[in-house]
Amino acid sequence: MTPTISMGQYLFKRVAELGIEHVFGVPGDFNLTLLDELFKVQELNWLGVCNELNGAYAADGYARIKGSPGVLVTTYAVGELSAMNGVAGAYAEHAGMIHIVGMPGRAVQEARLMLHHTMEPGMDQTIYVGMAEPIRKTHTILTDEKTMAQEIDRVIEAGVKSKLPVYIYVPMDVVGTPLDASRLEKPLSTEVVNSNSQMEDEVVKSTLELIKNSSKPSILADVLTIRHGGRELARRLASATQFPTYSTPLSKGVFDETDSKYNGVYNGEVSFPGCADSLESSDLVLNIGFLLSDSNTGGFTRKIPNGNLVLLGHDYCQIHDKKFDGIHFLPVLKRIVEEIEKDPKQSSLPKPDTRAKVETPLLSTSTSGPITQSYIWQRIGRFLRHNDIVLTESGTAQFGLTDATFGAHTQLITQTFWSSIGYTVGACLGALAAAKEQQRREKQLTSNETSPGSSSRVILIVGDGSLQMTVQEIGSYIRFGFTPVIFVINNNGYTIERAIHGERMGYNDISMLWDHQAMLGFLGARQETGVKGRSFACRTVEELEAVLTEEEFQGAGCIQMCEVFMEKLDYPWRLSSQIAVSRKKMAQAMALQG
Amino acid sequence: MTPTISMGQYLFKRVAELGIEHVFGVPGDFNLTLLDELFKVQELNWLGVCNELNGAYAADGYARIKGSPGVLVTTYAVGELSAMNGVAGAYAEHAGMIHIVGMPGRAVQEARLMLHHTMEPGMDQTIYVGMAEPIRKTHTILTDEKTMAQEIDRVIEAGVKSKLPVYIYVPMDVVGTPLDASRLEKPLSTEVVNSNSQMEDEVVKSTLELIKNSSKPSILADVLTIRHGGRELARRLASATQFPTYSTPLSKGVFDETDSKYNGVYNGEVSFPGCADSLESSDLVLNIGFLLSDSNTGGFTRKIPNGNLVLLGHDYCQIHDKKFDGIHFLPVLKRIVEEIEKDPKQSSLPKPDTRAKVETPLLSTSTSGPITQSYIWQRIGRFLRHNDIVLTESGTAQFGLTDATFGAHTQLITQTFWSSIGYTVGACLGALAAAKEQQRREKQLTSNETSPGSSSRVILIVGDGSLQMTVQEIGSYIRFGFTPVIFVINNNGYTIERAIHGERMGYNDISMLWDHQAMLGFLGARQETGVKGRSFACRTVEELEAVLTEEEFQGAGCIQMCEVFMEKLDYPWRLSSQIAVSRKKMAQAMALQG
């Protein structure tokens, strides 16, 4: 007799196979029995979140650190719809997500009963399935027992390969369906392979040729390099070639920023002095994992002629004007790196480039007085350790921290493309879970020795307006014993919106009555619960310096919140500059149209 | 020259014409200039909320008290998608909502620029418009200057008449488009009229006939009676006929519950003793504004034979087995009421029914000790005043408070059909705004005299798990100076889910570390801000009695929170009974299928 396994356990065993150890979600009556199955899979831990949008953000943040998709479990209608904005963000920025939705049993669906969470008599109960169509790569509704296992495999594989959200809809009554357990012995096929090997050959060969014949080559690795698992390859390419390297606002941290060949964040006209000139003077730009959105291209002001450009993307590559549709950069990059690495005489490389390193300007030498945008970001940059994980919220933090210089392995989570405010508070929970897994594995590798200094601190930087969107999830950090460092920028409202329009209009105000100093206590860190939390308020550079240089604060041994008071009309230069450039472009576009 | 008005002001003038004074939403860069126009319309006040889901809930709660649609303004993609679950709830329960979404300008849309909030290169920027299709009555994208004004009118009129959400998408660049202002002189056409007057005649005539010839007639007014503006008509019908009256879980409060003819909440097998028998013994049930969902029909256990039934619905009426498609109950009910009222000799009515009144059992006589489900709801019922507005969250509160007897004009907001937890915390903000408008108008009518006792208190009853979903909006109550009474049921997690499945499973747990006593202070009510807030913790009947009988607490002069500790496995009888009935029905259905 073939050994069997319940559908629910089969699904979660496949999830565990990806190395995933934490699953996020909210219970609801249509997913409770599915959660029973999850709880039987030892490899997985359930992190119940406060609401589904935060859960989607958490799954997204987890994926960005882990490299595997985050897993989110929600319930029919109310749950899945609440998560939509978070899932769409994971789609836009290729975070990867397996969204599992519990739904009414098949017979109930067929009878079209007017259950709670439906909307009208006789409604097709799969109506919500259609609503999510634009924000996923693929989906399955597990109705047919004969194909369930293969459908689960197909959808998960598609999710892993594409790094886009996928949906698995589970009718309540199929959770216990016995599936062939032996199928699990064959691992999922998750490797990205280009089916057109001839085209891949051509991209590899032409790129190597261009590299060899270049005189001023550069590597510009963008965010999809990281999302699609190419970060280490990009670093190996940089190391093997010793070409000058550049990141983008979204990919900041992709390269070791302390390296002598690193030249900063290239963002068209919104770059540090010398950075754009340096990149744009190249006769060859290897642009890996590009994402050419407004805020990631200085408002569409990149100036790299096609004749100098090799685009290595996730759905196409392009060499000068020749486009190779469907070619994924990952196998291409792997081959290029291996080719160059196995060439000890470096005959495949051009002569070393003598380009000067672009130095990062010091924006402020403040040592006292009010905390300004020009001062704080590079100062927080110096607070960061080489392997920290840092999250910057859409707004001043996101634009500001671009000015900092990161340590060798610092990882940044920010959502400059989708730009949903409140995102980082949820994403931070996911990053914390992923960091914990990483740490546990490292400990196992080093035979349980403690290796001090190697553990990643998780640092969240969020504005007061964004915090109000998703604040409750800080309670989840506390509940699950995480100890992030949280900076709250208290500057009286939606400063990014003020910079754009309506500087002093009431719609950009928020409640200024919140007592951030009481936040950690309210959400669980206080004497009575035995959970330690520390809160600080800084109105001056001196006060902030005192906090940042305190050893206990740096140690991140308990959850800590540092509230930083800043002027509401003080903007990071990158934000103002981005807006000015966008306005100019828009006016030009209008003039052309008119 | 024709006087003109900007598109934005035209839209908001039309909103104001409906009597609406408060608009909810969150700013975003695609709606800022639209908000400028809103701020120029004196009749409207902007209530900026913490996030869009809460905003949708607030608009929904506002609509339920106001009778006009709530208005929600969000921004492109991130905002509109965050609101989806809240909009869908308003659709399911006919709360009515005008959802106004700011989007990229027309030229930008046409160029398909890869802006923030889009998802991929070359994307059709109206992609999110399609996602909301199932949760709205109609929509418009204001791209054509020639039809903008009529489109705005068409969509708003449809929203008012249908009580379903409608969407108005506003590209950034059309906000200032000059429209013909004289159009505003002609009021919107919002009255519900049945186009088939012959069919309407037949329904009216047949119903009057059946009334006259009945011997045991009843009025069962369900929730869509209230939603579609028929509450006063239903009360007039009850008063004119002196027929026994019944409500449903969702329509509780539709009738004066202190009236001698009121017989309770009819919910099939999940009704108080005698209630179902009393209703089901009728030879004529006038069932107005019905919504036949699982939890509103005792799990589909209503027993009213078609031969005794007149259904007066919002999209069809049915007399015995004859269905009248497209006939709306409102004009029908109006004619029936007027017909009966103008008949002084009551020759149109049958002889008075001698049915005994169904008495409400007293579930607990507790005067001390632990606070139980059987005790608390009828006790809170006695705390309510005749014109309070009370919101009960999906969960124990919603099932429990059904046991209470309401005062003559008490209004209930609960979401038994859509059942999205966390809903009431947002909806309460809307109810507070609507109550404030009501109060202001009443004051105007009574020549600014203060009429003590007539003002509605707004009372929110929410469980600890639901509260964690949407807690930040309590900060908005404080910000805008509202003074609700908030009961927080602290019973260690998702008790409604425990009752359904996994009583002791970890997935039904929540963080138990929150300090509810610190909540109002954290969110703004504390000495330092000058906003008064009062918090109480009750673990026993004695402690709760002390709070409920305190004059200052009853006066609701400042925001107050009363935390009530209860056993996590104690369920209201209606919840347990509903689940038992549903399980039985489900098993039967399965047996039939098998």
Side-chain angles (χ1 to χ4, degrees):
Chain A
M1 221 178 78
T2 1
T4 63
I5 184 170
S6 73
M7 173 262 124
Q9 285 182 59
Y10 182 91
L11 167 59
F12 290 115
K13 279 281 183 192
R14 283 306 201 193
V15 164
E17 185 186 320
L18 302 177
I20 290 167
E21 298 175 30
H22 289 91
V23 171
F24 306 89
V26 180
D29 57 336
F30 292 107
N31 69 25
L32 299 177
T33 51
L34 180 64
L35 293 180
D36 285 341
E37 300 304 302
L38 166 64
F39 273 59
K40 289 173 197 158
V41 175
Q42 293 302 318
E43 302 93 311
L44 298 181
N45 299 288
W46 172 251
L47 295 184
V49 291
C50 294
N51 66 44
E52 290 88 353
L53 178 56
N54 295 358
Y57 288 157
D60 173 310
Y62 177 89
R64 291 183 193 220
I65 298 306
K66 185 79 180 179
S68 313
V71 180
L72 174 69
V73 181
T74 66
T75 196
Y76 186 59
V78 290
E80 58 184 305
L81 296 187
S82 289
M84 279 206 158
N85 172 28
V87 179
Y91 186 98
E93 301 206 352
H94 293 231
M97 189 182 300
I98 301 170
H99 187 179
I100 301 167
V101 185
M103 68 187 304
R106 291 170 296 181
V108 172
Q109 282 190 43
E110 206 149 312
R112 299 198 171 197
L113 291 182
M114 197 169 167
L115 299 181
H116 57 289
H117 307 336
T118 65
M119 294 192 296
E120 47 197 354
M123 185 189 94
D124 174 0
Q125 295 189 0
T126 65
I127 197 166
Y128 313 117
V129 175
M131 291 171 73
E133 197 278 327
I135 58 172
R136 67 183 171 227
K137 175 71 178 175
T138 186
H139 79 286
T140 186
I141 310 179
L142 300 178
T143 45
D144 182 355
E145 309 190 355
K146 285 193 290 295
T147 60
M148 272 173 202
Q150 74 199 55
E151 278 294 284
I152 291 170
D153 292 358
R154 176 185 68 80
V155 170
I156 292 179
E157 287 173 355
V160 175
K161 287 183 194 170
S162 69
K163 308 296 178 192
L164 297 176
V166 292
Y167 276 68
I168 299 176
Y169 296 91
V170 185
M172 271 184 77
D173 65 312
V174 308
V175 165
T177 303
L179 302 181
D180 176 6
S182 66
R183 205 184 150 92
L184 287 171
E185 286 158 24
K186 192 181 161 216
L188 293 169
S189 152
T190 56
E191 203 189 341
V192 172
V193 178
N194 286 318
S195 55
N196 191 330
S197 61
Q198 205 180 333
M199 234 194 232
E200 181 183 298
D201 289 348
E202 192 182 337
V203 176
V204 172
K205 210 179 131 209
S206 302
T207 306
L208 284 167
E209 195 75 18
L210 285 171
I211 287 174
K212 192 175 172 180
N213 296 325
S214 66
S215 59
K216 286 190 80 180
S218 302
I219 308 172
L220 171 60
D222 203 347
V223 64
L224 298 188
T225 312
I226 306 172
R227 291 289 99 76
H228 286 268
R231 191 185 194 224
E232 281 319 304
L233 284 172
R235 286 188 172 216
R236 278 166 60 190
L237 182 67
S239 165
T241 61
Q242 289 295 304
F243 290 170
T245 57
Y246 305 79
S247 62
T248 69
L250 266 165
S251 76
K252 188 172 167 60
V254 62
F255 292 119
D256 177 355
E257 301 195 351
T258 63
D259 188 274
S260 63
K261 291 292 176 180
Y262 178 69
N263 285 314
V265 174
Y266 175 62
N267 192 34
E269 293 180 12
V270 191
S271 307
F272 265 145
C275 178
D277 287 345
S278 170
L279 186 278
E280 291 166 3
S281 73
S282 309
D283 67 345
L284 173 65
V285 176
L286 300 171
N287 191 178
I288 312 164
F290 53 89
L291 191 158
L292 305 177
S293 73
D294 52 0
S295 314
N296 205 39
T297 61
F300 311 114
T301 58
R302 282 166 45 128
K303 286 187 201 75
I304 312 172
N306 271 6
N308 297 343
L309 185 61
V310 170
L311 286 171
L312 301 176
H314 73 286
D315 60 353
Y316 74 92
C317 292
Q318 184 172 329
I319 296 178
H320 296 175
D321 288 320
K322 188 164 182 186
K323 204 172 167 191
F324 301 85
D325 273 322
I327 297 299
H328 194 293
F329 76 84
L330 206 59
V332 170
L333 186 59
K334 189 156 176 277
R335 286 175 60 186
I336 291 172
V337 169
E338 284 169 357
E339 200 67 37
I340 293 172
E341 282 178 341
K342 78 180 179 196
D343 168 26
K345 293 185 197 153
Q346 304 202 320
S347 57
S348 56
L349 294 178
K351 270 185 236 153
D353 182 359
T354 55
R355 207 175 327 180
K357 179 173 168 64
V358 180
E359 298 295 342
T360 298
L362 181 65
L363 297 181
S364 163
T365 52
S366 242
T367 54
S368 67
I371 298 168
T372 61
Q373 295 282 344
S374 62
Y375 153 79
I376 190 171
W377 303 112
Q378 293 191 328
R379 180 61 190 90
I380 288 182
R382 291 194 298 277
F383 169 76
L384 297 179
R385 289 184 182 160
H386 74 101
N387 56 356
D388 282 345
I389 294 167
V390 57
L391 298 100
T392 54
E393 181 60 53
S394 292
T396 55
Q398 174 178 75
F399 284 89
L401 200 71
T402 311
D403 292 343
T405 300
F406 281 179
H409 300 287
T410 303
Q411 292 181 80
L412 173 70
I413 294 182
T414 196
Q415 212 196 35
T416 311
F417 179 33
W418 186 246
S419 300
S420 178
I421 70 167
Y423 160 76
T424 56
V425 181
C428 185
L429 179 66
L432 287 161
K436 185 183 167 186
E437 293 177 16
Q438 220 166 16
Q439 215 167 315
R440 204 183 54 74
R441 287 184 184 203
E442 275 166 18
K443 269 196 186 165
Q444 278 177 339
L445 289 175
T446 58
S447 351
N448 287 316
E449 279 171 46
T450 49
S451 44
S454 85
S455 76
S456 299
R457 298 181 305 183
V458 177
I459 293 158
L460 167 65
I461 313 176
V462 62
D464 48 3
S466 301
L467 179 67
Q468 294 193 1
M469 289 251 159
T470 45
V471 64
Q472 51 269 85
E473 228 51 61
I474 289 175
S476 298
Y477 311 163
I478 296 169
R479 177 184 181 197
F480 299 120
F482 295 122
T483 61
V485 175
I486 306 167
F487 291 94
V488 175
I489 306 298
N490 185 333
N491 57 358
N492 293 21
Y494 303 118
T495 295
I496 186 169
E497 309 296 0
R498 294 193 201 281
I500 295 170
H501 186 83
E503 201 162 63
R504 293 173 191 280
M505 290 296 288
Y507 49 70
N508 285 328
D509 294 341
I510 58 168
S511 172
M512 289 310 300
L513 302 174
W514 286 34
D515 178 8
H516 296 110
Q517 295 301 309
M519 180 173 71
L520 296 185
F522 166 55
L523 293 172
R526 60 186 184 280
Q527 204 159 13
E528 174 202 339
T529 59
V531 178
K532 186 172 177 182
R534 303 175 78 219
S535 298
F536 304 86
C538 302
R539 290 167 192 276
T540 64
V541 169
E542 295 93 315
E543 284 169 0
L544 184 59
E545 289 292 342
V547 173
L548 295 179
T549 54
E550 197 214 49
E551 206 172 323
E552 188 178 350
F553 186 77
Q554 292 173 350
C558 69
I559 187 166
Q560 299 179 107
M561 195 282 305
C562 179
E563 181 179 13
V564 182
F565 290 85
M566 296 174 74
E567 268 304 306
K568 76 174 176 182
L569 301 184
D570 183 17
Y571 313 126
W573 74 271
R574 285 180 189 273
L575 174 56
S576 308
S577 175
Q578 177 79 43
I579 294 166
V581 168
S582 295
R583 279 206 188 115
K584 199 176 70 186
K585 289 292 270 187
M586 209 65 82
Q588 283 168 353
M590 289 313 195
L592 277 174
Q593 276 240 336
Chain B
M1 221 179 79
T2 2
T4 63
I5 184 170
S6 74
M7 174 263 124
Q9 286 182 59
Y10 182 91
L11 167 59
F12 291 115
K13 279 281 183 193
R14 283 305 201 192
V15 164
E17 184 186 321
L18 302 176
I20 290 167
E21 298 175 29
H22 289 92
V23 171
F24 305 90
V26 180
D29 56 336
F30 292 108
N31 68 26
L32 299 176
T33 51
L34 180 64
L35 293 180
D36 285 341
E37 299 305 302
L38 165 64
F39 273 58
K40 289 173 196 158
V41 175
Q42 294 301 318
E43 301 94 312
L44 298 181
N45 300 289
W46 171 252
L47 294 185
V49 290
C50 293
N51 67 44
E52 289 88 353
L53 178 57
N54 295 358
Y57 288 157
D60 172 310
Y62 177 90
R64 291 182 194 221
I65 297 306
K66 185 79 180 178
S68 312
V71 180
L72 175 69
V73 181
T74 66
T75 195
Y76 186 59
V78 291
E80 58 184 305
L81 297 186
S82 288
M84 279 206 159
N85 172 28
V87 179
Y91 187 97
E93 301 206 354
H94 293 229
M97 188 182 300
I98 301 171
H99 187 178
I100 302 168
V101 185
M103 66 187 305
R106 291 170 297 181
V108 171
Q109 283 191 44
E110 206 150 313
R112 300 200 170 194
L113 291 183
M114 196 169 169
L115 298 182
H116 56 291
H117 307 336
T118 66
M119 294 192 296
E120 46 197 357
M123 186 189 94
D124 174 358
Q125 295 188 1
T126 65
I127 197 165
Y128 313 118
V129 175
M131 291 171 73
E133 197 278 328
I135 58 171
R136 68 184 171 225
K137 175 71 178 176
T138 186
H139 79 285
T140 186
I141 310 178
L142 300 179
T143 45
D144 183 354
E145 310 189 355
K146 284 192 291 295
T147 59
M148 272 173 202
Q150 74 199 53
E151 277 295 283
I152 290 169
D153 292 357
R154 176 186 68 80
V155 170
I156 292 178
E157 287 173 355
V160 175
K161 287 182 194 170
S162 68
K163 308 297 177 191
L164 298 176
V166 292
Y167 276 68
I168 299 176
Y169 296 92
V170 185
M172 273 185 75
D173 64 313
V174 307
V175 165
T177 303
L179 302 181
D180 176 5
S182 67
R183 205 184 151 94
L184 288 172
E185 286 158 25
K186 192 181 161 216
L188 292 169
S189 151
T190 56
E191 202 189 343
V192 172
V193 177
N194 286 318
S195 55
N196 191 330
S197 60
Q198 205 180 332
M199 234 193 231
E200 181 183 295
D201 288 348
E202 191 181 340
V203 175
V204 171
K205 210 179 131 210
S206 303
T207 305
L208 284 167
E209 195 74 17
L210 285 170
I211 287 173
K212 191 174 172 180
N213 296 324
S214 66
S215 60
K216 287 191 78 180
S218 302
I219 308 172
L220 171 60
D222 203 347
V223 64
L224 297 189
T225 312
I226 306 172
R227 291 290 98 79
H228 286 269
R231 191 186 194 222
E232 281 319 304
L233 283 172
R235 287 187 171 215
R236 278 167 59 191
L237 182 68
S239 165
T241 61
Q242 289 294 305
F243 289 171
T245 59
Y246 304 80
S247 62
T248 69
L250 266 165
S251 77
K252 189 173 165 60
V254 63
F255 291 118
D256 176 355
E257 301 195 353
T258 63
D259 188 273
S260 63
K261 290 293 178 181
Y262 179 69
N263 285 314
V265 175
Y266 175 63
N267 191 34
E269 293 180 13
V270 191
S271 305
F272 266 144
C275 178
D277 287 345
S278 169
L279 186 277
E280 290 165 4
S281 73
S282 310
D283 67 344
L284 173 65
V285 176
L286 300 171
N287 191 178
I288 312 164
F290 53 89
L291 191 158
L292 305 177
S293 73
D294 52 0
S295 314
N296 205 38
T297 61
F300 310 114
T301 58
R302 283 167 44 127
K303 286 186 200 74
I304 312 171
N306 272 5
N308 297 342
L309 185 61
V310 170
L311 287 171
L312 301 176
H314 72 286
D315 59 353
Y316 73 93
C317 292
Q318 184 172 330
I319 296 178
H320 297 176
D321 288 321
K322 188 164 184 188
K323 205 172 165 192
F324 300 85
D325 274 321
I327 297 299
H328 194 294
F329 76 84
L330 207 58
V332 170
L333 186 59
K334 190 157 177 276
R335 286 177 58 187
I336 291 172
V337 169
E338 284 169 356
E339 200 66 37
I340 293 172
E341 282 178 340
K342 78 181 178 197
D343 167 27
K345 293 187 197 151
Q346 303 203 321
S347 58
S348 58
L349 293 179
K351 270 185 237 153
D353 181 357
T354 56
R355 206 175 327 179
K357 179 173 168 66
V358 181
E359 298 295 343
T360 298
L362 181 65
L363 297 181
S364 163
T365 53
S366 241
T367 54
S368 67
I371 297 167
T372 62
Q373 294 283 344
S374 62
Y375 153 79
I376 190 170
W377 304 113
Q378 293 191 328
R379 180 62 190 88
I380 288 182
R382 292 194 298 278
F383 169 75
L384 297 179
R385 290 185 182 157
H386 74 102
N387 56 355
D388 282 346
I389 294 167
V390 57
L391 299 101
T392 54
E393 181 59 53
S394 291
T396 54
Q398 173 178 76
F399 285 88
L401 200 72
T402 312
D403 292 341
T405 300
F406 281 179
H409 300 288
T410 303
Q411 292 181 80
L412 174 70
I413 293 183
T414 196
Q415 212 197 36
T416 311
F417 180 33
W418 187 246
S419 301
S420 179
I421 71 167
Y423 160 76
T424 55
V425 180
C428 184
L429 178 66
L432 286 160
K436 184 182 168 187
E437 294 178 16
Q438 220 165 15
Q439 216 167 311
R440 203 183 55 74
R441 287 182 185 206
E442 274 165 20
K443 270 198 186 165
Q444 279 178 337
L445 289 175
T446 58
S447 352
N448 287 315
E449 278 172 46
T450 50
S451 43
S454 84
S455 76
S456 298
R457 298 181 306 183
V458 177
I459 293 159
L460 168 65
I461 312 176
V462 60
D464 48 2
S466 301
L467 178 67
Q468 294 193 1
M469 289 251 161
T470 44
V471 63
Q472 51 269 85
E473 228 51 60
I474 289 175
S476 298
Y477 312 164
I478 296 168
R479 179 185 179 195
F480 299 120
F482 295 122
T483 61
V485 175
I486 306 167
F487 291 95
V488 175
I489 305 299
N490 184 332
N491 58 357
N492 293 20
Y494 303 118
T495 295
I496 186 168
E497 309 296 359
R498 294 192 201 282
I500 294 170
H501 186 83
E503 200 162 64
R504 293 174 191 278
M505 291 296 288
Y507 49 70
N508 285 329
D509 294 341
I510 58 168
S511 171
M512 290 309 301
L513 302 173
W514 286 34
D515 178 7
H516 296 111
Q517 295 301 309
M519 180 173 71
L520 297 184
F522 166 55
L523 294 172
R526 59 186 186 281
Q527 205 158 10
E528 175 202 337
T529 59
V531 179
K532 186 173 177 182
R534 303 175 78 218
S535 298
F536 306 86
C538 301
R539 292 168 189 276
T540 64
V541 169
E542 295 93 315
E543 285 170 358
L544 183 58
E545 289 292 344
V547 173
L548 295 180
T549 53
E550 198 215 49
E551 205 172 320
E552 188 177 349
F553 185 78
Q554 292 172 350
C558 69
I559 187 166
Q560 299 179 108
M561 196 282 305
C562 178
E563 182 178 12
V564 182
F565 289 85
M566 296 175 74
E567 266 305 305
K568 76 174 177 182
L569 301 185
D570 183 17
Y571 312 126
W573 75 271
R574 285 182 190 271
L575 174 57
S576 308
S577 177
Q578 176 78 43
I579 294 166
V581 168
S582 295
R583 280 209 186 111
K584 200 175 70 185
K585 289 292 271 187
M586 208 65 82
Q588 283 168 352
M590 287 314 194
L592 278 174
Q593 277 242 334

